[in-house]
């Protein structure tokens, strides 16, 4: 990393659940910043935010806000990215976009550095940060793909409410209090803020994340399916997903079944690969009840993997349990990591 | 049903989470009882319990307690069943056992009436009630097996704490309160009362239900695998399970992937089968956000199924979401339903 050099960095959506974590992560990583521009909607403009002890005033994001910006980290929703990311690029910035706006655009690399860092060289100004639930799964699958190839993936998710933003976290805690106190409450945010109906999340599980597509899948499920194929460069890989929201604040968990391209591989070999895998912490010791859980992953950048075992019938099949902080590796840390890669690979100079 | 005739019924473990529901269910179903004997451990003996407005005193369960008993419903733990179920049988009772003690015994039928009621004729005194998570899954799979055969099942569960008994429910609510009030707490019950370590369940997900077997699976997972094969009379069916405990009081959910024996079947055909399936309520209308959720199933005997959709790659593959009250269809209702079948088939006279 060019530690001695600094960059002009803009963060768009600095007060959101992810934006906050981006600032914290830039600070923790000591990212080389020579100028920091914090942008937001007109509603949040004027608010003050601390970075390394210094107070910054949020400015309303406009096309001209990006003059001189070298790296722009967007996490203010898809419509903001669609409107302003091209404006930032036009002014010379490289955009790392945390929304779904450009993920499936064939001219936009979709990057998880542990998996396809080299795709950054193909950028046309915008780099897309994948969906949170996709990121942690591909990090866990990549060392396995490299060694043995991948034939099939079936995932069922256990996703935290913070993936739906600050309002969803507050709704979960509010409902929980109401239920404990025997008070009435009215669901208004989950499963999807903009959808027709809203359901209780406290002490419940909702099998809907994002709206439904015509084929009976949700957009979240289709994101996991399509993004996995794109990131791993396996357009033909069969991937299936069922995405479920839980009463957990932060930390997504995933029950992943996968088939490799080789018979006779032991679960110990898979564990060995994951132990050495970049960005992965292996937590797999059933005898001592060691396995990943969302409550343990909060605030950590790693992807935690455990419960690795051979399928009892399919000789090429395995099961594993993958947990990660959806706001960090699932969003803020992956974005900052992309920015670090851009510097390391001298794509931003 | 022999509505005019009554039977001498014993309930063993009448004050447990399941025992309470058995009494409630016998009452709701107006089961033909001419004499009711309520049995318990010596610890609970002497306690009083209401049935149809009448007060009953719990007696300590002993071999001689079963004199004259025609149907004995056991749900007081495996060791009690192992010790006393044979004694009850010796005295002429038919035992419906809700523990895992006899489930895989080859001389003991393992019965879900919607699936294999006719196996009751093969009983040798004891009939085993399957594991809660198995029951709801086989109810949903059976109409599909009948029509198209089954080639493969992969399930990931989302299980409620009441499956671990009253102490686990109290632990979940206690931890929840402690977290909301920023107080300390010490996990003591979950994931498994008798295991070495205990973990937070509030706002968390624990990928362990029951202890671990040597092969890396938990006993709960092996129960789902083995019991499904036995109940459905498909000893060669590939079944895989990952079982996870959630901060939900009651209501198990399951993400089920299955492959049938025929290509070209539409998800609409599968929905049609499930709509007509015994014990099943189809809740599947994505456009109107209709799908099953644990919070909606509590207190109901049915198995709720939704999110049915074709796999996007495997022509014989489908996904569905199955929810049921684990204390009712998963335990008490299935036990009472077996008792009703015993009467209907004149196995008890």
């Amino acid at each position: 990393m060019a530690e001695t050099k600094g960059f002009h960095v803009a963060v768009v959506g600095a007060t959101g659940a992810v934006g906050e974590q981006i600032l914290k992560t830039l600070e923790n990583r000591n990212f080389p910043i020579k100028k920091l521009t914090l942008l937001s909607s007109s509603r949040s403009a004027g608010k003050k935010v601390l970075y390394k002890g210094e107070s910054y005033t949020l400015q309303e994001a406009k096309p001209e806000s990006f003059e001189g910006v070298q790296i722009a980290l967007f996490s203010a929703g898809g419509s903001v990215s669609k409107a302003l990311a091209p404006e930032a690029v036009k002014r010379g910035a490289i955009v790392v976009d945390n929304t779904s706006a450009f993920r499936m655009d064939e001219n936009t690399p979709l990057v998880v550095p542990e998996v396809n860092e080299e795709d950054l060289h193909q950028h046309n100004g915008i780099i897309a940060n994948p969906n949170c639930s996709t990121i942690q799964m591909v990090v866990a699958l990549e060392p396995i793909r490299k060694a043995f190839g991948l034939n099939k993936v079936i995932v069922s998710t256990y996703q935290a409410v913070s993936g739906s933003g600050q309002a969803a976290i507050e709704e979960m805690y509010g409902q929980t209090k109401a239920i404990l106190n025997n008070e009435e409450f009215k669901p208004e945010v989950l499963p999807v803020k903009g959808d027709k109906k809203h359901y209780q999340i406290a002490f419940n599980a909702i099998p809907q994340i994002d709206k439904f597509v015509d084929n009976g899948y949700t957009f979240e499920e289709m994101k996991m399916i399509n993004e996995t194929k794109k990131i791993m460069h396996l357009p033909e890989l069969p991937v299936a997903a069922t995405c479920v929201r839980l009463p957990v604040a932060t930390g997504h968990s995933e029950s992943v079944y996968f088939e490799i391209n080789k018979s006779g591989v032991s679960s110990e070999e898979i564990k060995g690969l994951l132990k050495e895998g970049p960005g992965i912490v292996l937590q797999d010791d059933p005898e001592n009840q060691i396995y990943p859980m969302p409550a343990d992953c909060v605030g950590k950048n790693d992807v935690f993997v455990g419960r690795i075992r051979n399928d009892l019938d399919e000789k090429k099949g395995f099961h594993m349990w993958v947990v990660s902080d959806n706001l960090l590796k699932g969003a803020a840390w992956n974005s900052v990591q992309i920015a670090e890669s851009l510097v390391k690979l001298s794509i931003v100079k």
Side-chain angles (χ1 to χ4, degrees), chain A residues 239-253:
Chain A
V239 182
T242 300
C243 293
V244 181
R245 190 73 78 189
L246 300 194
V248 169
T250 299
H252 286 355
S253 307

Side-chain angles (χ1 to χ4, degrees), chain A residues 61-224:
Chain A
K62 292 179 184 168
E64 50 277 20
S65 313
F66 297 94
E67 295 293 349
V69 168
Q70 292 168 284
I71 301 172
L73 302 164
F74 275 71
S75 67
S79 57
V80 173
S81 291
K82 273 183 195 153
L84 291 177
E87 297 292 342
V89 172
K90 214 183 283 173
R91 286 164 178 82
I94 295 190
V95 168
V96 181
D97 182 30
N98 197 47
T99 77
S100 63
F102 300 99
R103 285 183 192 149
M104 295 313 295
D105 179 305
E106 58 181 25
N107 296 313
T108 303
L110 182 66
V111 176
V112 178
E114 289 88 344
V115 182
N116 63 335
E117 187 181 46
E118 71 285 356
D119 287 354
L120 290 172
H121 291 292
Q122 264 68 60
H123 84 89
N124 292 296
I126 301 175
I127 291 140
N129 195 66
N131 185 45
C132 45
S133 47
T134 311
I135 294 176
Q136 66 184 68
M137 183 168 80
V138 298
V139 167
L141 287 173
E142 176 63 8
I144 301 163
R145 181 205 65 76
K146 254 190 186 165
F148 300 120
L150 267 182
N151 281 348
K152 191 186 194 73
V153 176
I154 299 175
V155 57
S156 295
T157 71
Y158 302 68
Q159 293 183 234
V161 294
S162 57
S164 257
Q166 200 57 46
I169 303 177
E170 283 160 24
E171 171 162 79
M172 178 188 74
Y173 285 125
Q175 285 179 5
T176 305
K177 270 181 213 161
I179 288 171
L180 292 180
N181 298 330
N182 244 318
E183 291 163 3
E184 302 260 311
F185 61 88
K186 188 169 173 278
E188 287 177 328
V189 179
L190 291 166
V192 184
K193 183 94 181 110
D195 215 340
K196 289 167 277 186
K197 292 179 188 166
H198 299 102
Y199 299 122
Q200 171 188 332
I201 184 62
F203 306 111
N204 198 17
I206 307 179
Q208 182 191 355
I209 298 184
D210 211 330
K211 292 187 179 181
F212 280 96
V213 189
D214 284 344
N215 64 0
Y217 288 75
T218 59
F219 277 99
E220 182 82 358
E221 289 160 356
M222 293 311 298
K223 283 176 200 167
M224 286 197 81

Side-chain angles (χ1 to χ4, degrees), chain A residues 241-287:
Chain A
T242 300
C243 293
V244 181
R245 190 73 78 189
L246 300 194
V248 169
T250 299
H252 286 355
S253 307
E254 297 174 347
S255 168
V256 184
Y257 170 75
F258 59 92
E259 290 176 12
I260 60 174
N261 225 332
K262 197 183 162 192
S263 290
V265 174
S266 72
S267 58
E268 292 309 313
E269 285 176 83
I270 301 288
K271 286 180 203 175
L273 290 170
L274 289 167
K275 201 173 172 184
E276 303 301 320
I280 297 172
V281 173
L282 183 71
Q283 295 183 324
D284 195 325
D285 181 359
E287 209 187 318

